[in-house]
Amino acid sequence: MERSFVVIGMPRGGTTYLYHNLQNHPEIFVPFRKEVNYFGANYGKGPEWYSGLYKDSKSGQVLADISPPCFMDPESDKRIKNFNHNTKVILVVRDPVEWALSFYSQFASFNYTMVPFSEFLNGYSYNVGQKAITVRFLENYIVNRISEIIDNFKGNIFVYHYKVLEDNPVELFNKLENFLGIGPFFNEETVVTKKINASGRRNFIWFSRLVSREGVINFLGKVFPRKLTMAVRKQFDSLSSKNSVQSRYVHSERDYQLAKERLKDQKVWVDKLFQESNYIIPVDGWREQLK
């Protein structure tokens, strides 16, 4: 796996949209699993399991690993570097206020009983496979984690702001092609612009829960061809997109105000990070632009 990249986060950062578009590029191989999570929750399955997900790749293709939960798992950074120090890393950053609200909407839409948003902001644990993941928002966690990821991969990481998915997705994919060192493919005709997996999407709760179970994912991968599995997943995500109906959960004005109050300083930091451009490839001295 000499040529590979990992989308390390952030969750709720349009990574499903990336998954469905990147699989169309002939020089990129995307496994049937939407989220591999080998360097996090699935690390115990071993390198042979991980390599097996790419057994159908063609010579010369860049291998994609889209695993946003790695954002909440600092151990994943070290594991990625130990596995292949040449692996490139992609990080999408969301406005902390929007991120917290979107994350809560996702959980509230899939859970009939959910803690209040004020409690959610203090930290919330959920399972990815057999591992418990805790998402944190306060005590400068978001800023610290972004900084940690950049420091661990600086010079080999592409960071962009989530808003470019709405402003200019074609430009984003062109820049990703340059970063990955692959030929041009994405343009106005080949980039799917419809939002997928947005927070306001229709939720087929029973089906979503079923296909997120590790045993079901492994079964689908063994029984059905990769392309068929991915095509079905794409159809499901499209049907449940934001264009269908509104989410079951709607934030109160108090939720918005609470997020703005408690995440204000982190929002300011993110705004400064992207004050020159929506795209950065950090190298030594990247912090200077924040002063």
Side-chain angles (χ1 to χ4, degrees):
M1 302 180 67
E2 287 301 315
R3 299 184 66 203
S4 61
F5 67 92
V6 179
V7 180
I8 201 170
M10 302 165 57
R12 307 303 305 157
T15 50
T16 300
Y17 179 76
L18 285 183
Y19 169 81
H20 287 299
N21 271 285
L22 292 175
Q23 66 184 256
N24 294 328
H25 197 297
E27 294 183 49
I28 296 177
F29 180 88
V30 179
F32 79 94
R33 297 176 67 104
K34 188 181 74 170
E35 295 184 359
V36 176
N37 292 324
Y38 170 66
F39 299 107
N42 291 322
Y43 192 68
K45 293 185 176 182
E48 290 186 2
W49 173 85
Y50 185 53
S51 298
L53 297 175
Y54 300 91
K55 61 182 176 59
D56 295 325
S57 62
K58 298 178 181 178
S59 176
Q61 283 186 308
V62 179
L63 310 182
D65 178 343
I66 301 175
S67 299
C70 285
F71 184 80
M72 283 89 71
D73 189 351
E75 286 294 312
S76 64
D77 298 9
K78 179 174 62 177
R79 291 167 177 169
I80 292 171
K81 297 182 76 171
N82 287 343
F83 185 83
N84 182 355
H85 69 278
N86 291 320
T87 296
K88 294 189 175 183
V89 170
I90 296 170
L91 174 65
V92 51
V93 174
R94 282 195 78 164
D95 176 307
V97 174
E98 294 180 357
W99 187 55
L101 291 166
S102 177
F103 224 142
Y104 186 79
S105 290
Q106 181 187 36
F107 285 115
S109 294
F110 281 86
N111 293 282
Y112 292 106
T113 58
M114 185 64 184
V115 299
F117 182 68
S118 57
E119 184 177 335
F120 178 78
L121 282 178
N122 293 325
Y124 185 79
S125 295
Y126 67 103
N127 290 328
V128 175
Q130 301 299 314
K131 183 174 182 178
I133 297 289
T134 300
V135 54
R136 298 181 175 87
F137 303 96
L138 306 181
E139 298 178 345
N140 220 39
Y141 178 84
I142 301 171
V143 168
N144 290 339
R145 185 65 183 121
I146 292 172
S147 300
E148 182 178 43
I149 291 172
I150 292 177
D151 281 336
N152 285 334
F153 298 101
K154 60 179 178 289
N156 210 26
I157 183 173
F158 179 85
V159 186
Y160 67 93
H161 198 291
Y162 172 80
K163 65 183 180 180
V164 303
L165 291 178
E166 293 184 347
D167 296 344
N168 198 336
V170 175
E171 180 183 67
L172 167 62
F173 283 105
N174 291 159
K175 289 185 179 296
L176 286 174
E177 287 172 329
N178 291 333
F179 174 69
L180 297 173
I182 56 180
F185 168 80
F186 293 115
N187 53 48
E188 296 289 346
E189 301 294 327
T190 57
V191 172
V192 178
T193 57
K194 183 179 179 180
K195 266 191 170 183
I196 299 173
N197 199 24
S199 59
R201 70 178 186 171
R202 173 190 294 157
N203 285 298
F204 299 98
I205 298 176
W206 65 270
F207 185 79
S208 296
R209 287 177 174 171
L210 179 65
V211 298
S212 65
R213 293 181 180 275
E214 191 64 23
V216 174
I217 295 173
N218 290 333
F219 173 78
L220 293 174
K222 291 179 181 179
V223 174
F224 298 103
R226 167 179 165 270
K227 287 187 177 181
L228 175 61
T229 305
M230 296 174 73
V232 171
R233 178 76 211 199
K234 185 175 183 179
Q235 185 66 22
F236 165 71
D237 286 334
S238 180
L239 287 173
S240 62
S241 70
K242 189 173 183 178
N243 294 337
S244 300
V245 295
Q246 291 299 310
S247 170
R248 293 192 304 110
Y249 183 83
V250 178
H251 283 286
S252 68
E253 183 60 30
R254 177 54 184 160
D255 288 348
Y256 282 104
Q257 293 303 319
L258 189 62
K260 290 178 181 178
E261 291 170 8
R262 303 185 76 178
L263 300 174
K264 178 182 177 181
D265 291 342
Q266 295 189 83
K267 173 179 170 54
V268 170
W269 186 90
V270 168
D271 289 344
K272 285 185 177 181
L273 180 65
F274 293 100
Q275 62 185 350
E276 299 295 333
S277 173
N278 289 324
Y279 312 92
I280 57 175
I281 300 180
V283 293
D284 289 335
W286 67 272
R287 295 173 187 269
E288 294 300 316
Q289 70 184 71
L290 301 179
K291 295 182 179 180

